[in-house]
Amino acid sequence: VMFPSRKSHMFRIPALHGLTFKFKSCLSWLFAHVCVAMCFGLKSRRLLHSWKNLIFLLCFSWIRQGLFLVLRDFQGMIQVIIPQDEAHSHVKNLLSNAPVESVVRVTGIVSPRPPGQENPKMPTGDIEVKAETAEILNSCKKLPFEIKDFIKKTEALRMQYRYLDLRSFQLQYNLRLRSRIVMKMREYLCNLHGFVDVETPTLFKRTPGGAKEFLVPSREAGKFYSLPQSPQQFKQLLMVGGLDRYFQVARCYRDEGSRPDRQPEFTQIDIEMSFVDKTGIQKLVEGLLQYSWPKERGSISTPFPSMTYEEALADYGTDKPDTRFGMKIVDIGDFLRRSDIQFVQNALSYPHGTVKAICIPQGVEIVEIICRPDGSLKSLLTRFLGEEQQSQLVQALNMQADDVVLLAAGEEKQCSALGSLRLESADLLEAAGLVLRDPAAFHFLWVVDFPLFLSKEENPTELESAHHPFTAPHPTDTSLLYSDPTKVRSQHYDLVLNGNEVGGGSIRIHNAEQQRFVLEKVLKEDSEVLSHLLEALELGAPPHGGIALGLDRLVSLIVDAPSIRDVIAFPKSFRGRDLMGNAPDYITPEELKPYHIQVSWPLEEKEANKN
Amino acid sequence: VMFPSRKSHMFRIPALHGLTFKFKSCLSWLFAHVCVAMCFGLKSRRLLHSWKNLIFLLCFSWIRQGLFLVLRDFQGMIQVIIPQDEAHSHVKNLLSNAPVESVVRVTGIVSPRPPGQENPKMPTGDIEVKAETAEILNSCKKLPFEIKDFIKKTEALRMQYRYLDLRSFQLQYNLRLRSRIVMKMREYLCNLHGFVDVETPTLFKRTPGGAKEFLVPSREAGKFYSLPQSPQQFKQLLMVGGLDRYFQVARCYRDEGSRPDRQPEFTQIDIEMSFVDKTGIQKLVEGLLQYSWPKERGSISTPFPSMTYEEALADYGTDKPDTRFGMKIVDIGDFLRRSDIQFVQNALSYPHGTVKAICIPQGVEIVEIICRPDGSLKSLLTRFLGEEQQSQLVQALNMQADDVVLLAAGEEKQCSALGSLRLESADLLEAAGLVLRDPAAFHFLWVVDFPLFLSKEENPTELESAHHPFTAPHPTDTSLLYSDPTKVRSQHYDLVLNGNEVGGGSIRIHNAEQQRFVLEKVLKEDSEVLSHLLEALELGAPPHGGIALGLDRLVSLIVDAPSIRDVIAFPKSFRGRDLMGNAPDYITPEELKPYHIQVSWPLEEKEANKN
């Protein structure tokens, strides 16, 4: 799909699926092959012998005085010369009058363009097709928008006519590249590393705390299936079942209402292995991404750097740091400890109180508090700081002329505020024209040593899993599990790309007693709903671990798309609607009967409450 | 996974992923590699360097007086010698006392078995591992059934402990082979023929007549998604969108209650192409199956034979004939026209009345009405037939001694009765010990020229689509569409394997007017719900067609499994239940609230009706 630059006397017709040929030396041969190959791709020529003609989607946008037209097929465009002689008047009429985006079959002679008329911007710009015959296979009615202008239309209109949007170069490229990447991943896992592609059910039952799981009513009154958020339980059970290396390109479901850039159904590369540790999974994934990385996006080097959760929070104020640029968070509590600034002293008196800062290089472009060219600070703070303190601060933050420092004082949580400011500042700097993040750079990062449990927001004395209850504790923290679970680090790892979480996984608990302890004693959950998993761990479960990569997000980052909707053929809108087919839709009470459910209309409820 | 027979001095350790080596010449090399390779497969040796030891699932079933034990891993078994010397007493204790199916790590020296102790029935029967160290990684509690005996247990028990069932040789083989077949299919389609793997949504809306589609309540009151029975609409829209060659291993859903050997979710190899005709799709599929066919199941030859729907019904009484054996249906109406048999005369007087018969070779084994060794017939019919008629009948049916003829008189529909009798007879003959169908034979067959429409059973004056409303009419019958639609043949084609439908597809209607005519005028359906598809056909839709192969059924036939449940990792029971995880399950009214639904309990309904 990517068209390489032309070489002298070498032509590459995009539709030929990579066939390169010398032009002058094989003109007659070329004609015969182009005719078939342009329809179906060279390799299947033998397969599909019944269509012997050029077939293209027709694009009239460049028609010039009934002399030329440009045809577009699935892989490129080519210029067709409309014959002007009397003998071909039928062809002329037909091609001159066919509406834009109609589907036509054209046969003709491929020849070099007359000298001086070559178009170096077009991959097929050195040749043209002199039409001999033409046929309209399907005429196109009035388009709701022009294909080449699609990007200017409202997203709702594009979604309604998604099949037109799909004809755009960008979406064709995105979907075809996605397919290629996934195929390479399969080759790496299946053919090179002995993984077994196993399909797991999507009609299952609610997991504890699965409030975001879609329900599917069954024909048994009151009983519902649930569409799982991931094949987590099944992939662990496959390990117990001796399928030592599992992977699946798994459809997952999450009902999150209208969170931006989330889809109710999404895809993950789901991997699980027996007898593996964190390093094993990380090396596998690094090799997987390196192998499947599209050449046209450069190459990625392995191993990926790694950072603990604690470091990530301290240095970047987030557990998914964008490491393409600096502006790390710096603890300046010590420098300010002797200052007279009231709010700083307040902050430092808290149990985990501290003062932290980020230095925005060239921040003068976006804010007004600056480091002057002479090294002095333009800030209210200078009033409270001695000269020595000021110069220490400049040194600690490596401040340069026109840099700006933002500082925040308070409890540890302030880091995430500074983390957000850091990203916000980067956006503002780039909007102001500074180059901070190389758009061609791909910075992968492992984040490790997450806490195993977090305090519940609604009730801080209770604990919940930071990720999920099957995550194994860090080997050196296992004993803490029974004494001080809040201090236990987990064997969870996240994969971050340019500040986006693109994967996450863990080594799992394979010991039934430990799993039961976590569920019952730490999380205070009813372990009965997971009895099948607990029982499985008792019956010869090997040590195991795995990971899931978010395919939609990963591909959208690779193609630099603004949204995951740009790498999904038929995405839902923000509100979970299919604007093309109008889903979800109303269902008659009659159709609901077999499922023993009825709709509780909010209005009716209100009226019922009134009475 | 299949272990080839041993050759002299050549060993093939199953766990080595196909590594064959000379034994005596490389003993030390062998040791180092076996240790790692047996854990993880040879190719990932570099990847996973952290586990240097032999790891197996432990199987004690062959333990002999604490001297030997047999270890099983994911690819085979090997005999381990338990050390008897004092220095290794810990290892001896541990290995002698570990429960069956525990997971252990063993390191040891691989050596040839002492002369005379080789086990030619075991692929690793010429070697053994002398254990040096051992560790129990996870102990196994009391098993609900022995793995090797699983086949004798009730299916319900096996389903409840599916993860144990999965450890059996047969299921490991089935799932691993399935993965390999699908991978080969992907290579053929993606790498060799330029297909694009596109994921289509599973949260869509009900299609007209989609009574078997599961519903998924949305957060908008009264609105439901539907889980589609196939990506039919989406794949056609992809063609309109210029993705000229689409395929997907698609999860599909069908709520059929408790039909035997159906699953509520199943998988199809879903294919669609632009600019293709019937022959193009057929050649593609023949090449696809030939390329992905597992070597150990022989080879299949192409092209597959083809038969019209009419021929199939006339000769086999079914549209999915099992062509592995003869016993074709023969029309004997003409021979009996002059007979005095009342019911025959009655039948022949009907508009489409006829008399047909099948001849069961060696039918004497299963029924008592026979052709005697002297050629005379033992049948009540002989009383009504002249000698000439009898001998004509014997000749027409090619009757041999001990053959049995079954005949049926009536309207054309009798054929399907004879078709069922034909299969029933084949089963009975085989139960009686006759070989009729080679279990290693794979007879593929295309059935073509189906009728486009059928009369509705509940109201024969109305028509319904024989397959679906997007199927194109046969080119030679197009004009009949507007005059006598009942006579129109379609461009639908079914792929049949050994009497099972394993695929079906068609060339689709790409003309909006024709599609609208079929929907509105012939089928009398509201075309509004399909307005997006009709509109798409108006906006430059190329001619296109496709097919879907039923992957579960296909793989089950390849591995000769009695049920598709044997090629699915976690199948549902007959009643659509997951007996391991207990799905579907009850949901609290609280959890139903966001979806604006409530359960209509059948009992409550009854009480309501009483009042």
Side-chain angles (χ1 to χ4, degrees):
Chain A
V1 186
M2 290 299 281
F3 310 139
S5 60
R6 295 168 314 119
K7 288 177 194 163
S8 156
H9 291 292
M10 294 286 281
F11 297 81
R12 194 182 175 94
I13 298 193
L16 286 178
H17 278 283
L19 173 71
T20 309
F21 50 87
K22 290 230 175 194
F23 187 67
K24 284 178 185 170
S25 59
C26 56
L27 192 60
S28 63
W29 175 86
L30 170 69
F31 169 62
H33 283 255
V34 169
C35 287
V36 187
M38 282 205 166
C39 315
F40 301 110
L42 192 70
K43 288 201 175 121
S44 33
R45 206 170 58 239
R46 285 150 299 169
L47 179 74
L48 296 156
H49 50 67
S50 54
W51 295 79
K52 294 273 181 209
N53 304 307
L54 280 170
I55 302 177
F56 288 99
L57 287 176
L58 180 68
C59 168
F60 259 167
S61 47
W62 296 355
I63 195 163
R64 297 163 202 138
Q65 297 109 27
L67 298 175
F68 306 88
L69 65 90
V70 174
L71 293 182
R72 190 184 75 241
D73 88 339
F74 326 108
Q75 312 232 354
M77 296 196 275
I78 198 160
Q79 181 166 284
V80 172
I81 308 296
I82 301 175
Q84 304 295 320
D85 56 316
E86 197 55 43
H88 288 93
S89 62
H90 169 72
V91 175
K92 183 183 178 182
N93 280 342
L94 194 142
L95 290 181
S96 304
N97 297 320
V100 176
E101 292 293 324
S102 297
V103 184
V104 296
R105 175 195 294 163
V106 174
T107 64
I109 307 288
V110 179
S111 40
R113 293 197 189 182
Q117 294 188 19
E118 298 91 346
N119 181 353
K121 289 183 189 159
M122 199 172 169
T124 61
D126 288 320
I127 54 167
E128 57 191 14
V129 177
K130 292 185 174 145
E132 292 277 331
T133 70
E135 185 188 345
I136 306 277
L137 294 175
N138 211 355
S139 188
C140 181
K141 291 208 174 170
K142 192 169 160 28
L143 290 167
F145 54 84
E146 273 188 65
I147 305 300
K148 61 172 183 167
D149 280 348
F150 81 99
I151 206 80
K152 298 180 198 157
K153 302 295 160 187
T154 67
E155 176 144 26
L157 192 68
R158 289 172 52 198
M159 297 273 269
Q160 187 186 342
Y161 294 96
R162 184 66 172 180
Y163 45 89
L164 294 181
D165 214 3
L166 285 176
R167 289 186 199 162
S168 68
F169 172 79
Q170 192 58 56
L171 280 182
Q172 287 275 326
Y173 175 73
N174 292 358
L175 292 179
R176 286 169 191 268
L177 184 71
R178 177 181 176 135
S179 170
R180 261 166 51 211
I181 292 172
V182 172
M183 188 64 199
K184 294 288 278 182
M185 287 181 168
R186 291 178 181 281
E187 286 171 11
Y188 183 84
L189 292 169
C190 259
N191 296 352
L192 300 184
H193 290 286
F195 279 77
V196 186
D197 179 3
V198 182
E199 298 172 65
T200 57
T202 55
L203 292 174
F204 198 49
K205 71 164 181 182
R206 279 229 167 167
T207 42
K212 290 172 179 172
E213 288 175 1
F214 285 103
L215 294 173
V216 181
S218 78
R219 286 173 188 256
E220 289 185 78
K223 287 194 175 180
F224 294 77
Y225 297 105
S226 179
L227 300 175
Q229 292 188 46
S230 90
Q232 184 62 35
Q233 288 186 48
F234 289 111
K235 68 182 186 174
Q236 292 194 238
L237 289 165
L238 284 174
M239 294 306 111
V240 184
L243 281 142
D244 55 321
R245 294 178 162 209
Y246 145 90
F247 97 99
Q248 183 184 195
V249 180
R251 190 70 59 91
C252 304
Y253 301 85
R254 200 181 294 149
D255 181 14
E256 293 192 298
S258 54
R259 277 188 64 182
D261 217 18
R262 295 283 183 120
Q263 287 284 316
E265 49 186 319
F266 57 97
T267 304
Q268 64 189 35
I269 307 291
D270 201 45
I271 291 172
E272 194 82 7
M273 291 176 84
S274 293
F275 307 116
V276 74
D277 58 9
K278 185 186 75 176
T279 314
I281 294 286
Q282 288 178 334
K283 293 204 170 179
L284 178 83
V285 170
E286 287 164 0
L288 173 71
L289 287 169
Q290 201 163 40
Y291 184 86
S292 58
W293 200 255
K295 282 204 186 80
E296 63 254 39
R297 307 302 286 168
S299 64
I300 53 176
S301 64
T302 60
F304 301 152
S306 185
M307 190 183 284
T308 67
Y309 171 78
E310 214 168 282
E311 286 166 350
L313 277 197
D315 290 353
Y316 297 93
T318 173
D319 59 0
K320 43 181 182 180
D322 187 345
T323 50
R324 286 175 297 175
F325 64 104
M327 288 168 58
K328 285 193 194 179
I329 297 171
V330 179
D331 193 327
I332 53 169
D334 283 351
F335 302 110
L336 301 180
R337 208 165 287 280
R338 279 170 297 145
S339 72
D340 292 334
I341 315 166
Q342 191 56 43
F343 78 92
V344 167
Q345 293 305 331
N346 274 352
L348 288 172
S349 67
Y350 298 147
H352 297 284
T354 181
V355 185
K356 301 204 170 186
I358 55 169
C359 174
I360 309 173
Q362 296 299 300
V364 67
E365 300 280 345
I366 55 172
V367 276
E368 294 220 323
I369 311 167
I370 52 171
C371 170
R372 294 199 191 87
D374 63 1
S376 67
L377 298 182
K378 177 188 170 192
S379 167
L380 289 172
L381 281 184
T382 52
R383 275 195 273 161
F384 304 98
L385 296 173
E387 275 202 17
E388 198 193 350
Q389 277 179 317
Q390 286 194 30
S391 89
Q392 279 173 342
L393 209 56
V394 168
Q395 209 176 349
L397 290 162
N398 191 23
M399 287 172 79
Q400 309 292 327
D402 290 341
D403 287 2
V404 166
V405 167
L406 302 177
L407 60 79
E411 289 188 45
E412 282 288 346
K413 280 180 198 164
Q414 39 144 320
C415 275
S416 68
L418 278 179
S420 304
L421 276 173
R422 175 177 172 270
L423 292 176
E424 199 88 26
S425 306
D427 288 345
L428 288 170
L429 284 174
E430 288 184 343
L434 295 171
V435 177
L436 211 64
R437 295 170 288 200
D438 177 359
F442 293 97
H443 282 231
F444 280 101
L445 173 75
W446 290 108
V447 180
V448 299
D449 291 356
F450 284 80
L452 186 53
F453 306 107
L454 297 174
S455 298
K456 283 187 186 173
E457 263 187 43
E458 63 275 21
N459 183 357
T461 61
E462 288 179 16
L463 293 179
E464 62 187 359
S465 296
H467 294 94
H468 59 61
F470 316 116
T471 311
H474 197 288
T476 56
D477 294 356
T478 309
S479 62
L480 284 172
L481 187 62
Y482 306 93
S483 55
D484 190 353
T486 58
K487 291 223 166 58
V488 179
R489 290 166 304 160
S490 74
Q491 292 196 62
H492 180 93
Y493 30 83
D494 264 355
L495 182 62
V496 174
L497 171 57
N498 293 353
N500 299 275
E501 186 196 323
V502 292
S506 59
I507 302 304
R508 329 294 185 186
I509 298 172
H510 66 270
N511 178 295
E513 275 170 56
Q514 194 178 68
Q515 184 66 74
R516 191 169 277 121
F517 180 85
V518 166
L519 286 170
E520 294 175 0
K521 304 297 177 197
V522 182
L523 301 172
K524 321 277 186 204
E525 272 180 24
D526 176 14
S527 66
E528 187 50 40
V529 278
L530 289 170
S531 59
H532 55 287
L533 193 72
L534 287 165
E535 199 166 15
L537 295 183
E538 284 174 344
L539 296 172
H544 60 286
I547 195 166
L549 304 178
L551 182 65
D552 308 299
R553 170 69 55 217
L554 181 65
V555 177
S556 75
L557 290 170
I558 291 175
V559 302
D560 198 22
S563 158
I564 61 168
R565 291 190 300 283
D566 296 318
V567 297
I568 296 172
F570 299 101
K572 302 278 193 298
S573 75
F574 281 133
R575 301 199 48 191
R577 289 209 190 111
D578 181 318
L579 300 179
M580 182 186 66
N582 188 30
D585 205 357
Y586 292 108
I587 293 290
T588 64
E590 197 56 40
E591 289 178 291
L592 293 178
K593 261 194 185 162
Y595 299 109
H596 308 283
I597 54 170
Q598 58 191 43
V599 176
S600 320
W601 294 99
L603 267 177
E604 285 181 7
E605 279 179 4
K606 277 179 201 164
E607 283 174 1
N609 288 342
K610 273 182 207 163
N611 302 340
Chain B
V1 186
M2 291 297 283
F3 310 139
S5 61
R6 295 171 315 117
K7 289 177 191 160
S8 155
H9 291 293
M10 295 286 281
F11 297 82
R12 194 181 174 93
I13 298 192
L16 286 178
H17 278 283
L19 174 72
T20 309
F21 50 87
K22 291 230 174 195
F23 187 67
K24 284 179 183 172
S25 58
C26 56
L27 192 59
S28 62
W29 176 86
L30 171 71
F31 168 61
H33 284 256
V34 168
C35 289
V36 187
M38 282 206 168
C39 315
F40 300 108
L42 191 68
K43 290 205 174 117
S44 32
R45 203 169 62 238
R46 285 151 300 169
L47 180 73
L48 296 155
H49 49 66
S50 54
W51 294 79
K52 296 270 182 214
N53 305 307
L54 279 171
I55 302 177
F56 289 98
L57 288 174
L58 181 67
C59 167
F60 260 165
S61 48
W62 293 356
I63 196 163
R64 299 165 201 137
Q65 297 112 25
L67 298 174
F68 305 88
L69 65 91
V70 173
L71 293 182
R72 191 183 76 242
D73 90 338
F74 327 107
Q75 314 233 354
M77 297 197 276
I78 197 160
Q79 181 164 285
V80 171
I81 309 296
I82 301 175
Q84 304 295 320
D85 56 317
E86 196 56 43
H88 288 93
S89 62
H90 169 72
V91 175
K92 182 182 180 181
N93 279 342
L94 193 142
L95 291 180
S96 305
N97 296 321
V100 175
E101 292 294 323
S102 297
V103 184
V104 295
R105 175 195 295 164
V106 173
T107 65
I109 306 288
V110 179
S111 41
R113 293 196 189 181
Q117 293 188 19
E118 298 92 347
N119 181 354
K121 289 183 190 162
M122 200 173 171
T124 60
D126 288 319
I127 55 167
E128 59 191 15
V129 176
K130 290 184 175 148
E132 291 278 330
T133 70
E135 184 188 346
I136 306 276
L137 294 175
N138 211 355
S139 188
C140 180
K141 291 208 173 170
K142 191 169 161 27
L143 291 166
F145 53 84
E146 272 188 65
I147 304 301
K148 60 173 183 167
D149 279 348
F150 81 101
I151 206 79
K152 299 179 195 158
K153 302 296 161 187
T154 67
E155 175 144 26
L157 193 67
R158 289 172 53 199
M159 296 272 270
Q160 187 187 343
Y161 294 95
R162 184 65 173 180
Y163 45 88
L164 293 181
D165 213 2
L166 286 176
R167 289 184 198 164
S168 68
F169 171 79
Q170 192 60 54
L171 280 182
Q172 287 274 326
Y173 175 73
N174 292 357
L175 292 179
R176 287 169 191 267
L177 184 71
R178 177 181 176 133
S179 170
R180 261 166 50 210
I181 291 172
V182 172
M183 189 64 199
K184 294 286 278 182
M185 287 181 167
R186 292 179 181 280
E187 286 171 10
Y188 183 84
L189 292 170
C190 259
N191 296 353
L192 299 185
H193 290 285
F195 279 77
V196 186
D197 179 3
V198 182
E199 297 172 66
T200 57
T202 55
L203 292 173
F204 197 48
K205 71 166 181 180
R206 278 230 167 167
T207 42
K212 289 172 179 169
E213 288 175 2
F214 285 103
L215 294 173
V216 181
S218 79
R219 285 172 190 255
E220 289 184 80
K223 288 194 175 181
F224 293 77
Y225 297 105
S226 178
L227 300 175
Q229 292 187 45
S230 89
Q232 183 63 35
Q233 290 186 47
F234 289 111
K235 67 182 185 174
Q236 293 193 237
L237 289 166
L238 285 174
M239 295 304 110
V240 184
L243 282 142
D244 56 321
R245 295 179 160 206
Y246 145 89
F247 97 98
Q248 183 183 194
V249 180
R251 189 71 58 91
C252 304
Y253 300 86
R254 200 182 293 149
D255 181 15
E256 294 195 296
S258 54
R259 278 187 63 179
D261 217 17
R262 294 282 183 122
Q263 288 284 316
E265 49 187 319
F266 57 98
T267 304
Q268 64 189 37
I269 307 290
D270 202 45
I271 291 172
E272 195 81 6
M273 291 177 84
S274 293
F275 308 116
V276 74
D277 59 10
K278 186 187 75 179
T279 314
I281 294 287
Q282 288 178 334
K283 292 204 168 174
L284 178 83
V285 169
E286 287 163 359
L288 173 71
L289 287 169
Q290 202 163 39
Y291 184 86
S292 57
W293 201 256
K295 282 205 186 77
E296 63 253 41
R297 306 303 286 171
S299 63
I300 53 176
S301 63
T302 59
F304 301 154
S306 186
M307 191 183 286
T308 67
Y309 172 78
E310 214 168 282
E311 286 168 350
L313 277 198
D315 290 353
Y316 297 94
T318 174
D319 60 0
K320 43 181 183 179
D322 187 345
T323 51
R324 285 175 298 176
F325 64 104
M327 289 170 58
K328 285 192 193 178
I329 297 170
V330 179
D331 192 326
I332 54 169
D334 283 351
F335 303 111
L336 300 180
R337 206 165 288 279
R338 281 170 295 147
S339 73
D340 294 333
I341 315 168
Q342 192 56 43
F343 78 93
V344 167
Q345 292 306 330
N346 275 351
L348 289 173
S349 67
Y350 298 146
H352 298 281
T354 182
V355 185
K356 301 203 169 186
I358 54 169
C359 175
I360 309 172
Q362 296 298 302
V364 65
E365 299 280 346
I366 54 172
V367 276
E368 294 221 324
I369 312 167
I370 52 170
C371 170
R372 295 201 190 86
D374 63 3
S376 65
L377 299 180
K378 177 189 168 189
S379 166
L380 288 173
L381 283 183
T382 52
R383 273 194 275 161
F384 304 98
L385 296 173
E387 275 202 14
E388 199 195 349
Q389 278 180 315
Q390 286 195 29
S391 88
Q392 278 174 339
L393 209 56
V394 167
Q395 210 176 346
L397 289 162
N398 191 21
M399 289 174 76
Q400 309 292 327
D402 290 342
D403 287 1
V404 166
V405 167
L406 303 177
L407 60 79
E411 289 186 45
E412 283 288 348
K413 281 181 196 161
Q414 38 144 322
C415 276
S416 69
L418 279 178
S420 305
L421 276 172
R422 177 177 171 268
L423 292 176
E424 199 88 24
S425 306
D427 289 346
L428 288 169
L429 284 174
E430 287 183 343
L434 295 171
V435 177
L436 212 61
R437 295 169 290 201
D438 176 0
F442 293 97
H443 282 231
F444 280 101
L445 173 75
W446 290 108
V447 180
V448 298
D449 291 355
F450 283 81
L452 186 53
F453 306 108
L454 297 173
S455 299
K456 282 187 186 170
E457 264 188 43
E458 63 275 23
N459 183 357
T461 63
E462 289 178 14
L463 293 179
E464 63 187 358
S465 296
H467 294 96
H468 58 59
F470 315 116
T471 311
H474 198 287
T476 56
D477 295 357
T478 308
S479 61
L480 284 172
L481 188 61
Y482 305 94
S483 55
D484 189 353
T486 57
K487 291 223 166 59
V488 179
R489 290 165 304 160
S490 74
Q491 292 196 62
H492 180 93
Y493 30 82
D494 264 355
L495 181 61
V496 174
L497 171 56
N498 294 352
N500 299 275
E501 186 197 322
V502 293
S506 60
I507 302 303
R508 329 294 184 186
I509 297 172
H510 67 271
N511 178 295
E513 277 169 53
Q514 192 177 69
Q515 183 67 76
R516 192 169 276 122
F517 182 85
V518 166
L519 286 170
E520 294 175 0
K521 304 298 177 194
V522 183
L523 300 173
K524 320 277 185 203
E525 271 181 23
D526 177 14
S527 65
E528 187 50 40
V529 278
L530 289 170
S531 59
H532 55 287
L533 193 72
L534 287 164
E535 200 167 14
L537 294 184
E538 284 174 346
L539 297 172
H544 60 286
I547 196 166
L549 304 178
L551 183 64
D552 308 301
R553 170 67 58 216
L554 182 65
V555 177
S556 76
L557 290 170
I558 291 174
V559 303
D560 198 22
S563 160
I564 61 169
R565 292 190 300 283
D566 295 319
V567 298
I568 295 172
F570 299 101
K572 303 279 192 298
S573 75
F574 282 131
R575 301 200 49 191
R577 291 210 188 109
D578 181 316
L579 300 178
M580 180 187 67
N582 188 32
D585 205 357
Y586 292 108
I587 292 290
T588 64
E590 197 57 41
E591 289 178 291
L592 293 179
K593 263 194 185 159
Y595 299 108
H596 308 282
I597 54 169
Q598 57 190 41
V599 176
S600 319
W601 294 98
L603 266 177
E604 286 179 7
E605 280 178 0
K606 277 179 200 166
E607 283 174 2
N609 288 343
K610 273 182 206 162
N611 300 341

